[in-house]
Amino acid sequence: MADVNIVNGDDEIVGPDKKKQKTLTSIKEGILLGYGNPLLDISVNGTEEFLKKYDLKPDDAILAEDKHKSMYDDMAKTYADHVEYIPGGATLNAIKLAQWLLRVPDATSFFGCIKKDEFGNILEKKSKEIGVNVKFQYTDKESTGTCAVIVTGKNRSMCANLAAANLFTEDHLNNSENWSLVEKAQFYYIAGFPLTVSPPSVLRIAKHSYEKKKTFCMNLSAPFLCQFFKDPMLQTLPYVDILFGNETEAETFAKENNLETTDRKEIAKKLAGWKKENTSKSRVVVITQGEGNVIVAKDDKVTEYPIIPIAADDIVDTNGAGDAFVGGYLSQLVQGKSIEECVRCGNYSANLVIQRSGCTFPEKPSFQ
């Protein structure tokens, strides 16, 4: 597919007779590649009786145990008339938001592991409908990863069964067709969660990015990763050009690595100054703080950007807000926009998603 010129998100031919020339950005097919743990979110408006059946709390987020394994099929059957299936998982959430904003088919690619079962087929189909070029690794050892989202009133109970998502291997990168997508991409995004699955895959992509002078982005993603998967995280960090995280993750990283400060701005500065292989490109560290300002550190300088104010009554679901922010940021990054524009689009995306159920979005973006 040829490059597509995008003007403010819409295909347009700009001629010399235009009174106002708009900036053209050439978005290449496959410019952004993500690798992560794909999950199919199965979302329903449920009942307290259903929660009790599987020993779930109304407002909680847990990993599935054996007693929950039959719940996903049960949800699909019990709530067949109004069940909603949403492609999910932290990395895929960010990639699909970026794809939605870029509006060029296959501008983004994604790697992850699923099974060719009913939920896997839905996950693959819906991801492709968004425009993401998904290249899954398939396994027969586990079912496709799922996350139950059971809404009761204002509460959301989430129960994730990683299953096949945990079985991704570096073999997938040895396939020439898949590796060609790595070579084609100029930007990479990997949430921290794959560090629990296949650290060699993460490191291989990160090293490729460094060797070819591309841009590699990673996310701290969860406090437990900073604690219990510290070694693979620290092995990858020198190759990271842009690092994302929220306030809790940043504070946990600081504690675990003896940064001797709880000041988030100082943490961001120290992370920005962490050992980096590609010294010709400064590391950018982006820390979100929920309702607080977004902190950005680069070259020993810290800048704060306010979020978009929102009334509490307008917030529907904060899950996925961080992923949406990253997706918005990446959509502008691949177009060569400034940090300020990247953050502005990140805030737009997060603000949009928290006013909807699940990490979802309307047909077309309104970001300008």
Side-chain angles (χ1 to χ4, degrees), residues 209 265 302 317 319 322:
S209 179
K265 295 178 188 177
V302 176
D317 185 0
N319 296 307

Side-chain angles (χ1 to χ4, degrees), residues 24-224:
L24 288 177
T25 301
S26 186
I27 301 171
K28 296 181 183 296
E29 184 181 278
I31 194 169
L32 173 63
L33 172 71
Y35 155 49
N37 299 342
L39 301 175
L40 180 66
D41 290 349
I42 305 172
S43 182
V44 300
N45 286 306
T47 63
E48 291 193 14
E49 288 73 22
F50 192 86
L51 292 177
K52 289 177 182 177
K53 180 178 180 180
Y54 291 99
D55 195 23
L56 295 173
K57 296 176 183 177
D59 191 13
D60 204 3
I62 64 171
L63 289 177
E65 300 174 29
D66 286 340
K67 62 185 177 183
H68 301 123
K69 296 294 175 69
S70 63
M71 176 178 62
Y72 303 93
D73 285 328
D74 191 2
M75 288 175 66
K77 293 173 183 175
T78 302
Y79 301 99
D81 292 338
H82 58 269
V83 64
E84 187 174 11
Y85 297 107
I86 306 167
T91 304
L92 185 53
N93 277 340
I95 292 295
K96 74 184 187 184
L97 253 295
Q99 176 63 54
W100 173 68
L101 285 156
L102 291 171
R103 298 183 61 197
V104 175
D106 295 343
T108 62
S109 304
F110 178 82
F111 294 158
C113 188
I114 65 172
K115 183 180 182 179
K116 286 187 175 180
D117 52 17
E118 181 183 1
F119 290 150
N121 292 336
I122 294 172
L123 176 54
E124 188 161 5
K125 179 175 180 288
K126 287 188 171 289
S127 298
K128 288 180 177 178
E129 285 174 353
I130 295 168
V132 180
N133 180 22
V134 288
K135 291 293 182 182
F136 289 122
Q137 185 175 38
Y138 301 105
T139 181
D140 288 326
K141 296 178 181 177
E142 289 277 4
S143 58
T144 294
T146 48
C147 183
V149 183
I150 304 165
V151 181
T152 52
K154 284 282 187 179
N155 295 317
R156 277 163 178 74
S157 182
M158 298 192 299
C159 183
N161 179 27
L162 299 179
N166 263 334
L167 300 180
F168 186 92
T169 66
E170 193 179 356
D171 290 343
H172 194 63
L173 304 182
N174 294 332
N175 177 288
S176 59
E177 183 181 349
N178 296 333
W179 187 251
S180 70
L181 292 176
V182 177
E183 293 179 324
K184 179 187 287 188
Q186 297 299 309
F187 298 84
Y188 307 89
Y189 175 65
I190 299 178
F193 297 109
L195 293 173
T196 71
V197 179
S198 182
S201 299
V202 177
L203 202 55
R204 183 167 167 185
I205 294 171
K207 286 182 176 179
H208 168 84
S209 179
Y210 157 65
E211 290 165 0
K212 301 299 182 180
K213 295 181 171 56
K214 299 177 180 181
T215 301
F216 183 80
C217 311
M218 194 175 78
N219 204 314
L220 296 176
S221 289
F224 82 88

Side-chain angles (χ1 to χ4, degrees), residues 192-193 219-227 233 245-246 248-249 252-253:
F193 297 109
N219 204 314
L220 296 176
S221 289
F224 82 88
L225 294 171
C226 302
Q227 294 171 302
M233 182 176 285
N246 65 25
T248 308
E249 295 152 7
T252 303
F253 183 95

